[in-house]
Amino acid sequence: MNKLVNLLKNQTIDSHKWVDNIISEFPEDKWFETPEIIETNIAWQIGHLTLSLYYYNIVLIGSPQEDISNEINVKKYSEFFMSGEKRNEMKSEFTRETILKNWELLKEKAIEFISKLTDEDLDSEIFKLPKEHPFAKTKEDALSWNIKHTMWHCGQIATLKRIVDKPFDLTIKKKTENKSVIERSN
């Protein structure tokens, strides 16, 4: 039994649900709005998390995947979503729909890659890139970090929503959370 892989997979799914619940309430017309007080926008946040899924949950636990990389255009994503420097230029390059489509694709692919692992695989080294990763040395490190990273950004997204719209309604999370517990028990 792969208890640790299942735990990491379920935590990854739960972190995605948190993000999805908040963005489901996020006004479509405010996706590229960047308030000075927080200096980010929802388009950048979701693009950044999509890029992070590719890097931590696919490349580091497997290897670069040319088909996925080409489908979302990782080179362009890296240019716009690695750091927030081009957040005000994104609207001319990306649509909300494209960002959401790529987010959905990478969530699905990330879970596929995690599902192929065994608990023993988690202790193995990550895929070696030309520049050594500063702290992720094993596949478990990469997956664990990305769960934390996603939840970190979830907090930023919730704060952003409060600033541009209204506070996130936690009752929506509770409904989805109960559903996910039921789905996992089946």
Side-chain angles (χ1 to χ4, degrees), residues 41-113:
N41 60 52
I42 191 70
W44 184 84
Q45 291 284 329
I46 301 306
H48 179 73
L49 288 174
T50 301
L51 188 61
S52 181
L53 279 173
Y54 178 71
Y55 183 66
Y56 285 96
N57 289 41
I58 294 173
V59 173
L60 293 184
I61 67 167
S63 66
Q65 302 294 306
E66 191 174 339
D67 59 333
I68 299 169
S69 176
N70 289 338
E71 187 164 348
I72 72 162
N73 193 346
V74 165
K75 185 175 180 180
K76 186 175 181 181
Y77 253 69
S78 296
E79 179 184 344
F80 283 88
F81 298 114
M82 182 77 71
S83 66
E85 295 166 2
K86 289 192 169 191
R87 69 182 169 270
N88 295 323
E89 300 167 37
M90 288 183 308
K91 194 170 186 174
S92 65
E93 298 289 329
F94 297 92
T95 64
R96 174 186 170 275
E97 292 72 24
T98 300
I99 293 168
L100 282 172
K101 181 185 90 155
N102 290 337
W103 167 243
E104 291 300 322
L105 172 70
L106 265 294
K107 287 188 312 180
E108 179 184 317
K109 295 295 182 184
I111 297 307
E112 282 178 25
F113 272 70

Side-chain angles (χ1 to χ4, degrees), residues 17 173-186:
K17 286 181 181 180
K173 172 61 186 160
K174 286 182 181 180
K175 291 175 193 172
T176 304
E177 196 172 84
N178 291 338
K179 184 179 177 191
S180 68
V181 169
I182 291 166
E183 288 170 355
R184 275 189 259 148
S185 66
N186 290 334

Side-chain angles (χ1 to χ4, degrees), residues 77-166:
Y77 253 69
S78 296
E79 179 184 344
F80 283 88
F81 298 114
M82 182 77 71
S83 66
E85 295 166 2
K86 289 192 169 191
R87 69 182 169 270
N88 295 323
E89 300 167 37
M90 288 183 308
K91 194 170 186 174
S92 65
E93 298 289 329
F94 297 92
T95 64
R96 174 186 170 275
E97 292 72 24
T98 300
I99 293 168
L100 282 172
K101 181 185 90 155
N102 290 337
W103 167 243
E104 291 300 322
L105 172 70
L106 265 294
K107 287 188 312 180
E108 179 184 317
K109 295 295 182 184
I111 297 307
E112 282 178 25
F113 272 70
I114 295 170
S115 296
K116 293 176 185 174
L117 296 172
T118 65
D119 282 355
E120 293 75 30
D121 292 332
L122 296 174
D123 288 330
S124 59
E125 290 184 349
I126 58 172
F127 179 80
K128 293 289 184 192
L129 294 169
K131 184 178 177 183
E132 185 176 332
H133 194 281
F135 58 84
K137 305 300 179 204
T138 66
K139 293 176 182 184
E140 181 181 352
D141 293 341
L143 295 174
S144 179
W145 165 252
N146 207 44
I147 294 163
K148 295 169 190 143
H149 177 253
T150 301
M151 291 307 292
W152 171 272
H153 281 278
C154 194
Q156 292 179 356
I157 294 166
T159 301
L160 178 61
K161 183 176 180 328
R162 177 181 288 269
I163 293 167
V164 302
D165 185 40
K166 61 185 178 195

